Amino acid sequence: MENVWVESAIGAIKALAFVCDIITYPVYLILQRPWEKKQLSRRVKAKAIAKDGKSITYRSVDSPRDVHCKIIAAHIDTMEKMLTYVVKLYSKKRCLGTREILAEEDELQPNGRVFKKYVMGDYKWKTFEDVDKEAAAFGRGLKLLGHKPKQNIVIFAETRAEWMVAAHACFKQNFPVVTIYATLGEDAIAHGVNETEVDIIITSHDLLPKFKNILSKTPRVKKIIYMEDQLKKTDTTGFKEGVEIIPFKEILRSGQNVDVESEPPKKNDIAIIMYTSGSTGVPKGVLLTHANMMSTLGAFSDAVVISRDDVFLGFLPLAHVFELLAESVCLLNGVSIGYSTPLTLIDSSSKIKHGTKGDAPVLHPTCLTAVPLILDRIYKGINDKVSKNTPFKRALFNFAFDYKKKWINRGFSCPLIDRLIFAQTRQLLGGKIRLILTGGAPLSPDTHELIKICLCEQVIQGYGLTETCSCATVMDNYDRTTGRAGTPTTACDIRLVDWDEGNYRVTDKPFPRGEIVIGGSNISPGYYKNPEKTREEFFEEDGRRWFRTGDIGECHPDGVIKIIDRKKDLVKLQAGEYVSLGKVEAELKTCPIVENICVYGDSNKDYTVALVVPNQTHLAVMAERLGLSQSFDELCENAKIEKAVLAELAAHGKKCKLEKFEIPAAVKLCTEVWSPDMGLVTAAFKLKRKDIQERYQHEINRMYAS
């Protein structure tokens, strides 16, 4: 009976929508001019500039825009000059914002447990002028400690305003900044610290305790500077003797009123030694010069439309090249940056006291960066919420989703549907988000589409690597497609080169395919203290530096690149079919039952298998459906559950248009959540295939044997 009522109600809404469409269509047609949007989406964005039997090189057809032209004209070629330049333009404008923590209180949970939660106030802002003065003072303070130009210094801290101040302090004095992910294990941290021969480390209150163990492995380190906590006093006892532990504010104070001569960097000096998260072996230190960084800043300013009225939400790791360059573009364009953490981001975040607001609803940001992993979680979160709604609300959401999708594809926007149906979803992030930039891995078309419809109409995907200073391709502002990585930026050329072993060639039809090689002023000089690996992956040609990425792409007629594979991810099955493990994982990761997944293929078999970390909530619902009442660990061992998960993966894979041979034929459910500490994923949460395979070799053998 209820279903009949729901169908009748939705039928009436559809009829009403149809009548409204007829009445309002001419008005929307004149106001929104959809044909122009579709034309701009289809326009040619890059052209082939060189071609031979084995390779094709593409270049953007766009010219540098206003901001880029101005920094070239003003000879801004280092990060030190960049900050000086923007301070003159935006001196009194809000620059870096930090949310005030008023107290930490105990909160009783429904299950009887007590959690510590924050009571938070407003954002406190430093102006561009404040940031410049603090960076100058901190740089002088470091110099008073005896630090010399071109001598490396480590920043090992979470994303926050002091991170950016410390980095610019180092840029001003020509101290190369060594960035290390806060999530790396002790051995990887010690490796980065020892290889770069640093004697000063800048860290934070939360991460300082890690050094009680690490210092025994890092004999050169003599001083640790820590960024203070807003509430707690830092315990500086129990550290290795002879190592000085100094508060951040003390260095600031010491450099405040002293006259210490600075030695600014030149454009080819090293600005950053960035340790990649490394999906194989120990992390590599990638050298990035000031010229590399300025090249990317110019290219990003050409590619992404942002204005000084925008507000950026910063919460991804600044030790990741993508976030560091995105925030630097904000500084260059006079955009205010408000900092957050995954623990305080939204109202329902784990450290926010019930009934109080998260960072995004207080900041009201207009733009942010996100990695596909985060967007996939939002995708699942929205789908979960919808599935728990009443049948009517569920049907209403599905109607609104399909309705908006249809009109977006025709070149229209739907302000009424946005206000009536999707306003609540948008309020999650403060209600004003207009632009989400995503990179770090391919974004699945399903996730891209859902985020565009429910949260933010402009989701711009980009592609870049640490070795290319985060810059290679960025989606055009007007591109309405999904599943593509964008067009070459104004800083570099993209070349596709035949990879015969993987059967990818530039002569392929309908699109040229091959390994992506990137050349331009954004390309790193190479790996720190690793000439062999540098020679292997970098080369010079016609006065340009090039980098072999190991990624496989295809180029569409409009000059847009699509990442279709990765050399390391490709497996040839017994019957001769090639399976891109990364592609299969990206599609299956959007299945609600999957928290994480690693697909494995043996070339002596004709099918793949999968290791799956299941979503505990969905697994419990599945168990209930099957009449099972066991613990999570027991469910993961249950053959019935395995079979049901496999069926769900197969159905989802089919929906995502995966080939039959690509869908795993056997599955093992893993009870442990894969984290960087375990060494099974990188700090950027990319899979470490070799390590996962070694850990679960017995289970892989069992799956193939069954």
Side-chain angles (χ1 to χ4, degrees):
M1 190 68 187
E2 190 182 18
N3 280 351
V4 174
W5 178 84
V6 169
E7 279 177 31
S8 303
I10 295 298
I13 290 167
K14 283 181 179 175
L16 185 65
F18 181 68
V19 172
C20 285
D21 288 347
I22 292 169
I23 295 166
T24 59
Y25 183 78
V27 180
Y28 278 126
L29 191 69
I30 294 161
L31 291 176
Q32 296 190 5
R33 306 171 75 82
W35 64 90
E36 287 181 358
K37 293 178 191 172
K38 288 165 88 172
Q39 213 173 348
L40 285 166
S41 179
R42 287 194 297 261
R43 79 183 180 100
V44 172
K45 304 157 192 80
K47 287 182 175 173
I49 56 157
K51 205 174 189 176
D52 60 35
K54 291 279 184 184
S55 71
I56 305 179
T57 306
Y58 295 91
R59 183 173 289 172
S60 169
V61 298
D62 293 333
S63 305
R65 287 173 41 199
D66 189 44
V67 170
H68 194 172
C69 292
K70 280 178 179 172
I71 60 173
I72 292 170
H75 305 291
I76 310 299
D77 55 8
T78 68
M79 293 297 283
E80 180 266 337
K81 286 180 186 173
M82 188 274 279
L83 188 63
T84 306
Y85 171 76
V86 295
V87 169
K88 284 177 188 164
L89 292 175
Y90 310 111
S91 59
K92 301 296 179 194
K93 191 176 185 294
R94 299 188 321 179
C95 182
L96 306 181
T98 302
R99 184 109 185 258
E100 199 176 11
I101 302 171
L102 304 173
E104 190 175 41
E105 295 179 1
D106 291 340
E107 184 181 271
L108 185 67
Q109 304 304 302
N111 61 8
R113 295 173 71 187
V114 174
F115 288 155
K116 296 270 186 202
K117 302 276 185 169
Y118 287 144
V119 179
M120 302 186 81
D122 285 330
Y123 270 86
K124 298 287 178 201
W125 291 91
K126 299 178 198 295
T127 64
F128 277 80
E129 196 172 60
D130 294 337
V131 170
D132 187 51
K133 281 179 180 170
E134 283 194 12
F138 195 80
R140 290 193 295 265
L142 291 174
K143 214 155 187 196
L144 289 176
L145 293 178
H147 212 68
K148 305 260 189 308
K150 300 194 179 183
Q151 194 180 345
N152 301 332
I153 197 161
V154 159
I155 301 183
F156 175 74
E158 309 91 340
T159 294
R160 51 196 285 174
E162 293 91 339
W163 201 109
M164 201 54 112
V165 168
H168 278 279
C170 294
F171 296 153
K172 281 177 179 290
Q173 299 292 345
N174 201 9
F175 305 152
V177 174
V178 179
T179 68
I180 298 175
Y181 285 105
T183 46
L184 283 183
E186 288 179 5
D187 288 342
I189 296 163
H191 166 75
V193 170
N194 288 332
E195 188 171 71
T196 52
E197 301 175 37
V198 300
D199 55 19
I200 296 178
I201 291 172
I202 301 167
T203 189
S204 67
H205 164 91
D206 289 334
L207 294 172
L208 182 63
K210 279 198 173 201
F211 288 93
K212 286 184 178 175
N213 290 336
I214 294 169
L215 286 172
S216 62
K217 306 170 190 174
T218 55
R220 284 177 179 271
V221 176
K222 295 291 175 278
K223 293 176 181 70
I224 296 182
I225 299 161
Y226 66 90
M227 303 165 187
E228 301 89 335
D229 186 77
Q230 288 193 44
L231 297 177
K232 298 170 195 148
K233 194 175 184 311
T234 306
D235 177 12
T236 57
T237 60
F239 288 87
K240 184 176 147 189
E241 213 176 309
V243 175
E244 222 181 321
I245 313 292
I246 314 163
F248 191 90
K249 282 180 182 149
E250 197 177 298
I251 303 294
L252 264 182
R253 268 193 304 273
S254 70
Q256 211 94 58
N257 299 309
V258 291
D259 189 20
V260 176
E261 199 182 329
S262 67
E263 294 182 43
K266 294 186 168 57
K267 67 176 187 175
N268 291 323
D269 285 338
I270 301 301
I272 300 265
I273 302 171
M274 186 163 277
Y275 274 82
T276 63
S277 46
S279 52
T280 54
V282 292
K284 300 188 291 280
V286 178
L287 298 164
L288 296 174
T289 65
H290 285 269
N292 292 153
M293 293 182 78
M294 288 313 303
S295 173
T296 293
L297 295 195
F300 280 3
S301 296
D302 295 336
V304 183
V305 177
I306 50 175
S307 74
R308 55 174 298 175
D309 298 324
D310 275 312
V311 178
F312 182 88
L313 178 72
F315 70 100
L316 290 183
L318 273 165
H320 191 292
V321 70
F322 176 45
E323 181 70 9
L324 177 59
L325 270 299
E327 290 192 23
S328 298
V329 169
C330 289
L331 295 182
L332 178 59
N333 287 271
V335 172
S336 307
I337 302 167
Y339 286 105
S340 178
T341 75
L343 304 178
T344 59
L345 187 63
I346 56 175
D347 295 350
S348 58
S349 292
S350 59
K351 282 295 271 187
I352 295 292
K353 192 182 177 190
H354 187 67
T356 63
K357 287 189 176 297
D359 298 335
V362 171
L363 183 68
H364 299 297
T366 59
C367 44
L368 58 87
T369 47
V371 289
L373 179 79
I374 290 167
L375 297 180
D376 285 341
R377 282 180 183 164
I378 292 172
Y379 170 92
K380 286 180 188 171
I382 291 171
N383 279 334
D384 283 356
K385 208 168 178 183
V386 170
S387 67
K388 286 171 189 163
N389 270 334
T390 62
F392 173 70
K393 282 187 176 173
R394 208 160 51 232
L396 181 62
F397 179 88
N398 289 334
F399 159 71
F401 187 92
D402 292 339
Y403 178 89
K404 185 174 175 182
K405 181 179 165 181
K406 175 182 76 178
W407 285 107
I408 279 180
N409 289 341
R410 291 173 181 172
F412 290 89
S413 54
C414 306
L416 197 61
I417 286 282
D418 283 343
R419 194 167 296 171
L420 294 173
I421 308 292
F422 300 118
Q424 204 179 348
T425 323
R426 291 169 69 89
Q427 285 304 323
L428 273 175
L429 291 170
K432 291 189 176 177
I433 286 287
R434 64 162 195 86
L435 172 66
I436 293 176
L437 299 160
T438 174
L443 180 64
S444 88
D446 285 352
T447 301
H448 194 154
E449 190 171 71
L450 183 127
I451 300 293
K452 270 180 80 168
I453 289 171
C454 299
L455 205 61
C456 166
E457 262 180 49
Q458 205 166 22
V459 180
I460 290 187
Q461 194 173 175
Y463 162 69
L465 305 96
T466 311
E467 290 88 344
T468 68
C469 199
S470 185
C471 179
T473 68
V474 180
M475 267 181 79
D476 187 74
N477 276 301
Y478 302 103
D479 193 342
R480 306 173 74 78
T481 61
T482 58
R484 307 196 295 171
T487 185
T489 67
T490 52
C492 61
D493 293 339
I494 302 281
R495 180 178 292 171
L496 297 183
V497 179
D498 283 359
W499 183 40
D500 295 327
E501 192 189 334
N503 222 11
Y504 291 115
R505 295 180 182 87
V506 295
T507 50
D508 289 346
K509 301 288 182 232
F511 309 120
R513 305 188 299 173
E515 181 183 0
I516 295 171
V517 181
I518 302 164
S521 50
N522 57 314
I523 305 298
S524 156
Y527 298 114
Y528 188 67
K529 292 185 177 176
N530 197 339
E532 196 179 312
K533 196 78 181 150
T534 299
R535 277 193 298 274
E536 198 181 304
E537 296 187 1
F538 295 85
F539 64 95
E540 298 275 342
E541 189 185 284
D542 301 330
R544 261 194 158 185
R545 192 151 182 79
W546 294 79
F547 174 69
R548 299 179 179 94
T549 65
D551 292 316
I552 307 299
E554 65 181 26
C555 191
H556 294 172
D558 59 353
V560 174
I561 303 290
K562 182 177 182 180
I563 311 296
I564 55 171
D565 216 332
R566 177 148 183 81
K567 276 184 171 183
K568 291 172 188 166
D569 285 357
L570 202 70
V571 172
K572 189 179 187 181
L573 298 180
Q574 195 181 33
E577 300 106 334
Y578 282 95
V579 176
S580 169
L581 304 177
K583 182 191 94 172
V584 175
E585 287 156 359
E587 295 292 2
L588 296 183
K589 220 177 257 184
T590 57
C591 180
I593 197 74
V594 175
E595 196 62 44
N596 211 339
I597 184 167
C598 179
V599 178
Y600 178 81
D602 184 335
S603 43
N604 296 316
K605 308 286 182 186
D606 59 2
Y607 59 93
T608 63
V609 296
L611 297 157
V612 173
V613 178
N615 178 289
Q616 296 203 24
T617 311
H618 281 281
L619 200 71
V621 171
M622 185 182 273
E624 204 178 307
R625 214 167 50 227
L626 294 170
L628 301 168
S629 55
Q630 296 172 299
S631 70
F632 175 67
D633 287 20
E634 287 168 332
L635 287 174
C636 287
E637 295 295 331
N638 190 302
K640 265 189 184 175
I641 285 279
E642 261 183 20
K643 201 173 173 187
V645 169
L646 199 58
E648 200 159 313
L649 286 181
H652 191 79
K654 201 173 174 187
K655 194 183 95 180
C656 295
K657 297 186 172 59
L658 290 179
E659 300 290 344
K660 198 175 177 199
F661 62 82
E662 291 178 309
I663 296 168
V667 70
K668 160 69 187 161
L669 302 181
C670 308
T671 53
E672 47 198 5
V673 176
W674 300 337
S675 66
D677 294 345
M678 289 171 67
L680 300 182
V681 293
T682 70
F685 288 90
K686 291 176 186 171
L687 299 178
K688 292 179 124 178
R689 288 192 191 284
K690 208 161 177 289
D691 298 288
I692 292 172
Q693 186 191 334
E694 280 170 15
R695 190 181 184 100
Y696 294 103
Q697 191 61 61
H698 177 72
E699 283 81 0
I700 291 168
N701 295 343
R702 184 185 67 78
M703 283 189 279
Y704 274 122
S706 67

